[in-house]
Each structure stands twice: as structure tokens, then as C-alpha cells.
Amino acid sequence: MSVAELKERHAAAIEAVNDLRERLKQRRQQLLDTDVAGYARSQGRSQVTFGPTDLVCCRTLQGHTSKVYSLDWTPERDRIVSASLDGRLIVWNAQTSQKTHAIKLPCAWVMTCAFSPTGQSVACGGLDSMCSIFNLNSATDRDGNLPVSVTLNGHKGYVSCCQYVPDEDIHVITSSGDQTCVLWDITTGLRTTVFGGEFQSGHTADVLSVSINGTNSRVFVSGSCDGTARLWDTRVASRAMRTFQGHEGDVNTVKFFPDGNRFGTGSDDGTCRLFDIRNGHQLQVYYQQHSNKEVPLVTSIAFSISGRLLFAGYSNGDCYVWDTLLARVVLNLGSVQNSHENRISCLGLSADGSSLCTGSWDTNLKIWAFGGHRKVI
């Protein structure tokens, strides 16, 4: 078979795949006669309301000298770790705003950080294509720096996200620009399982984010520059359990819903979306119209402890609080007093749901607490 014939067959196959994809999309739209917000309105559900003192900035954490890219809370909700392009991880006491550790990194181009479930160690990764583990109880060297305890080396592209497997300090899942996710054993420093890569059901572009299911730690979801999110089971690495489509841009962030049956996504297309892992359907789109043509990108998301609220950070400095049931914005933290002055790059909710922390390119982190008559939702 000649090269020309091969190219012709390849083009025909691509056309057939695109046609099937479009027919599948139309069929799904026919089956989805409503969304979450439409059903909630038909049942007369009322919107969550926020007063001016219901969610307020109670602390600003200052100490980084460059853009903040990532943050994470300890399960005890008393400490936060943040990663910045100043080449440092800082561990903060969230109640006093004091720094307990300032860790100088081997590579300044850090993109992600995470606390271990016990809070005894932190992990980070970035453009060095490695995930570095630091034991916070280790002694510092003669220069006062905390040494790297374990280096997880094996990715062929930058490490975009890392997350400890819940309830244990020995396994980490990372995502990478090499189109794969990897489950690591920290005790040996070796890869346990690789997800994607040569497998056809894997991502076809950089993987940007992962989220592990809080109710079943064997299941995690990943978001990618290929515009999809994929559901994985750590016991079955050869293929993704499901592929979720709908976004028209890079999927920058993914986060499981508290009940573990759904997850949210945020994308360069300016939308957040809610998907159901049981049937693979998209349940809701969260999108705010803007007066100008430039649509801000969604950079990070988090759900409240009940799932009724969705917190979404945007590239223009906005941080919307969405009512997930009615798909309406109930508060914009970017327009209140003491808000950030640049892109919201990361955000996270404390384990008890009482506080939200946001990180920004303005080099600061801010802790927002529920106040007034508002209870934790």
C-alpha cells in the first residue's frame, strides 16, 4: 500500500470518527431533557443568599516574592502549604499567619504542592519533571535548608499536579505534560502504575490536574489539554473507565464532589461543568456572561463540604461562589474588600469547610471565613 493510499485511509478514518462523535453528542443531548438547575427550578428550590459579612477575608498571608501557583490544606485545617515561582514552599499556620517552614526547592519552576494525610510531609513538582518529597520533621542542613527526603523520577514532561492518596503517606498520584498520570510508592521511590501514555484510552495531550475520590481512593479523575476529563481505577491501568467530553478548551482543574459520585471541572473555555461518573452524563454548565469579548479562564475549583457551593477562581482575578443547584453566582470574592489584585491561580477549602484559601499571581494568599449569620454549607 502506497503512502498516498495510507494518507487517504487515515483521513477517511478521522472523518468517520468525527462523524460518530457528533452523532453521539446529538444523541446525548436528546436524552438530557433537563439539567440540575432546570430541575431545581421546577421544584421551586430557592437560591443560596450571601450578605456582605457572610464570607470575609480574615487573613492575608504574605511572604512569597513571586507568583503563587499552588496550595493545599492539612486535614487538621490548621496549616497550609503554598508553592511559588520564587522557588520556595512555605508552610503556614493558618490561625496565626506565621510561617513554620520555608523550603528552598531544587527547581524554582514549581507548579504544584500537596500535604500528606498526616501532615508530616509535603510533595511538590514542576518543570524539573520530578516530584520531590520533604519530611517536615527532618533536620535542616548547614545552610538551614530542609533536604529532599525522596525524589520520584520517571515522568518525561513537567509535573503539573500531585496528590497524596487519602489515609496513607506512602502513595502519591501525579499528572504530567507527558500525557500520563502515575501512582508512586514513596517508600521505594518507584512507579507502581502508569495511566495513559501508550494506551489508546489515555489522554492525547498534557494532563493538568488530578483529583482522588474521597469515598473510594482507588478511583481518580484527570483533566487535560485535550479538552477531556478521564476516570481511572488504580487497579486497571490499561484503560480509562470513562471519558468525559464537553469542554472547548484545556481542562485546567478537576475536583470530586463530596459524595464521590460526581466531579467538577474548570476550563480555558471559561466554564465549570458537573459530571456524573455513574452514567457519564454532563449534569450542569456554570458560565457567567461577560460584557467584553475576552472570557476569563477557570484556573481552580473547590466544592463546599455539602456540595451546595462551587468556588471557582478565574484568570481575571474573580472568584465566583456558585450555587451548584441553580447554577447562579451568589458572590464574587474578586469584587469585595481586600480581594486579590491579579489572577487567582489556586484555591482550596479546609477539611471542615469553614475556611477558603485563595492563592494569586499577586504573590499573596488570602483566607476567607464564613461569618455573620452564615453557617458552613
Side-chain angles (χ1 to χ4, degrees):
M1 185 177 293
S2 67
V3 173
E5 290 175 325
L6 283 172
K7 288 183 177 179
E8 184 177 346
R9 291 184 63 179
H10 182 256
I14 291 176
E15 185 178 353
V17 168
N18 291 335
D19 179 62
L20 287 171
R21 184 178 288 126
E22 185 61 29
R23 286 164 58 187
L24 180 61
K25 182 179 178 181
Q26 293 174 359
R27 180 57 178 161
R28 282 184 170 176
Q29 288 299 323
Q30 293 173 0
L31 295 173
L32 293 174
D33 55 348
T34 187
D35 55 18
V36 171
Y39 179 77
R41 285 191 293 268
S42 71
Q43 299 298 305
R45 299 297 295 269
S46 58
Q47 179 178 306
V48 174
T49 58
F50 268 82
T53 61
D54 286 347
L55 191 59
V56 296
C57 179
C58 60
R59 289 182 182 83
T60 298
L61 307 181
Q62 297 178 313
H64 284 297
T65 58
S66 188
K67 300 172 181 176
V68 177
Y69 258 72
S70 180
L71 67 87
D72 193 26
W73 289 83
T74 56
E76 294 80 20
R77 77 173 180 81
D78 60 343
R79 288 180 296 160
I80 297 168
V81 62
S82 58
S84 166
L85 289 188
D86 60 13
R88 291 187 181 275
L89 293 182
I90 295 181
V91 179
W92 310 82
N93 184 316
Q95 297 174 341
T96 65
S97 303
Q98 293 181 333
K99 308 175 189 68
T100 62
H101 295 80
I103 304 170
K104 187 177 180 181
L105 300 176
C107 173
W109 298 98
V110 62
M111 302 178 69
T112 180
C113 63
F115 251 120
S116 67
T118 62
Q120 300 301 307
S121 63
V122 292
C124 69
L127 295 188
D128 60 358
S129 304
M130 297 185 295
C131 181
S132 301
I133 310 293
F134 295 87
N135 187 331
L136 298 179
N137 298 320
S138 296
T140 57
D141 60 22
R142 64 180 63 183
D143 296 322
N145 297 320
L146 197 67
V148 177
S149 299
V150 180
T151 298
L152 307 178
N153 194 351
H155 278 299
K156 298 178 181 178
Y158 62 88
V159 175
S160 56
C161 185
C162 63
Q163 188 175 352
Y164 278 88
V165 176
D167 303 324
E168 54 180 82
D169 275 22
I170 61 173
H171 289 108
V172 169
I173 293 179
T174 57
S175 61
S176 172
D178 63 11
Q179 305 181 11
T180 69
C181 300
V182 173
L183 174 65
W184 302 85
D185 187 328
I186 297 175
T187 57
T188 62
L190 300 176
R191 292 179 291 183
T192 300
T193 316
V194 178
F195 306 91
E198 69 272 19
F199 299 117
Q200 292 184 350
S201 64
H203 286 291
T204 58
D206 302 14
V207 187
L208 300 178
S209 180
V210 294
S211 178
I212 301 174
N213 193 326
T215 62
N216 181 1
S217 60
R218 294 190 182 95
V219 175
F220 72 96
V221 65
S222 58
S224 168
C225 289
D226 62 14
T228 70
R230 298 180 193 242
L231 187 70
W232 303 88
D233 188 316
T234 57
R235 297 163 296 185
V236 186
S238 60
R239 59 182 176 84
M241 296 168 63
R242 284 190 186 274
T243 298
F244 300 83
Q245 298 176 338
H247 281 294
E248 298 176 359
D250 299 356
V251 179
N252 297 319
T253 177
V254 292
K255 193 70 175 180
F256 261 103
F257 200 75
D259 68 359
N261 292 323
R262 289 163 280 267
F263 69 90
T265 57
S267 169
D268 276 1
D269 63 14
T271 69
C272 300
R273 296 170 190 254
L274 184 66
F275 294 93
D276 193 309
I277 68 172
R278 296 164 295 185
N279 56 29
H281 287 168
Q282 176 182 288
L283 302 179
Q284 187 63 54
V285 178
Y286 303 93
Y287 177 70
Q288 181 78 349
Q289 293 287 344
H290 293 83
S291 55
N292 55 9
K293 293 183 179 179
E294 188 172 342
V295 178
L297 322 177
V298 183
T299 60
S300 186
I301 62 170
F303 289 102
S304 66
I305 198 165
S306 70
R308 183 63 191 269
L309 301 178
L310 169 65
F311 303 94
Y314 293 81
S315 58
N316 64 351
D318 285 337
C319 183
Y320 289 158
V321 182
W322 290 91
D323 183 332
T324 55
L325 198 58
L326 294 172
R328 293 173 182 167
V329 176
V330 297
L331 183 65
N332 179 11
L333 297 180
S335 62
V336 302
Q337 191 175 8
N338 297 324
S339 60
H340 286 289
E341 299 176 357
N342 208 323
R343 170 195 289 246
I344 305 291
S345 52
C346 51
L347 56 80
L349 204 70
S350 61
D352 66 350
S354 64
S355 302
L356 174 76
C357 185
T358 54
S360 169
W361 281 11
D362 65 8
T363 75
N364 296 326
L365 295 97
K366 293 181 182 290
I367 298 177
W368 308 79
F370 289 95
H373 71 279
R374 170 62 61 203
K375 297 180 180 179
V376 175
I377 301 177

